[in-house]
Amino acid sequence: MGNALVATGNRLHSLGWSPDFIGPSTTASANAAVYWDGMRAVPGASALLSELSYHRYDQVSSSSLQQIGLRRTRDNVRTSMLERIGSGIDDLFEDLTIANVSAWQQFALGFCVPDDGSAYVINQSSPANPTVTLSATGKLLSQVFRYVRSGAVRVAATSANGGQANPVAFRNANGKYAVIVRTQGAQQLLIRGLPAGTYGVNYATAASANVSATDVVITTGGAASVSIPSAGAITIFAR
């Protein structure tokens, strides 16, 4: 793979093209770091590789994701999880916080019924009038993707109740913050550390999606008190 990469890079450069190269996109997450190191060992390959990619089909563990995250820092590259049919919000949170990914995707954005776990379900039972709806998986994923926009930077977020409420937080390119908390049941949450301002509150559960709650105002040094009625994901975002 490393030799093929260098040969391809040299040929494209001779024609005036300088693309980013992403690899190795191994099916087994645990193999990604091993293949990556092997590719970079080929002279000239490390200068071409800009992103370490992996799939989530086999050998996924905190250890394998940590190894990917370590190479992100060591080699000053991006990381990305680029395929897993049916991956949901819990996988996304792991990939964000352990492997520190900059890109993430399932297999297809939408899939025809029966639901395979893609973000959208396409029902073609009436071919002349197909319907497209959010899947159960998509409802929770939307709590991240709706509020975290291109160019956002993830910032540290911790929880005093990590087993029941796990957060991720981002600063969007416009300077506004969004915090998403994945809950395993009904929760009353106190969100601290956000800048003063007015924040919208929106959540999704198995029963409902895109539910807006009353805005909260955070004073300097203050906290936001928000709640979710059952397991799901809740987003607090700057207006």
Side-chain angles (χ1 to χ4, degrees), residues 110-113 120-134:
F111 200 80
C112 299
V113 291
Y120 291 91
V121 179
I122 305 167
N123 188 330
Q124 299 183 97
S125 57
S126 175
N129 297 287
T131 60
V132 180
T133 57
L134 268 176

Side-chain angles (χ1 to χ4, degrees), residues 17-103:
W17 295 86
S18 298
D20 286 344
F21 286 94
I22 301 170
S25 288
T26 54
T27 303
S29 300
N31 289 338
V34 178
Y35 275 57
W36 174 264
D37 289 348
M39 293 168 70
R40 283 177 52 86
V42 175
S46 61
L48 297 171
L49 284 163
S50 60
E51 190 166 309
L52 194 172
S53 59
Y54 62 100
H55 295 182
R56 248 187 174 269
Y57 288 108
D58 195 16
Q59 300 178 38
V60 184
S61 65
S62 292
S63 176
S64 64
L65 297 178
Q66 286 168 357
Q67 290 301 313
I68 292 167
L70 286 172
R71 281 154 180 79
R72 174 194 175 277
T73 303
R74 183 195 72 187
D75 302 330
N76 191 31
V77 294
R78 298 183 301 272
T79 54
S80 56
M81 197 296 286
L82 297 185
E83 187 183 323
R84 173 62 164 82
I85 295 172
S87 258
I89 194 168
D90 294 316
D91 289 349
L92 174 60
F93 271 43
E94 280 191 353
D95 292 324
L96 284 169
T97 59
I98 303 176
N100 210 4
V101 297
S102 296

Side-chain angles (χ1 to χ4, degrees), residues 88-190:
I89 194 168
D90 294 316
D91 289 349
L92 174 60
F93 271 43
E94 280 191 353
D95 292 324
L96 284 169
T97 59
I98 303 176
N100 210 4
V101 297
S102 296
W104 190 91
Q105 65 185 42
Q106 297 177 309
F107 174 70
L109 183 61
F111 200 80
C112 299
V113 291
D115 181 6
D116 75 336
S118 296
Y120 291 91
V121 179
I122 305 167
N123 188 330
Q124 299 183 97
S125 57
S126 175
N129 297 287
T131 60
V132 180
T133 57
L134 268 176
S135 68
T137 301
K139 289 177 182 179
L140 299 186
L141 289 174
S142 68
Q143 293 302 127
V144 180
F145 298 145
R146 186 183 296 122
Y147 301 100
V148 179
R149 311 310 301 163
S150 179
V153 176
R154 190 173 68 83
V155 295
T158 59
S159 171
N161 188 12
Q164 293 297 312
N166 294 307
V168 291
F170 292 85
R171 184 181 67 251
N172 280 300
N174 62 4
K176 296 184 177 182
Y177 287 78
V179 178
I180 305 94
V181 184
R182 167 67 163 133
T183 68
Q184 300 303 320
Q187 292 285 322
Q188 183 72 41
L189 303 168
L190 200 61

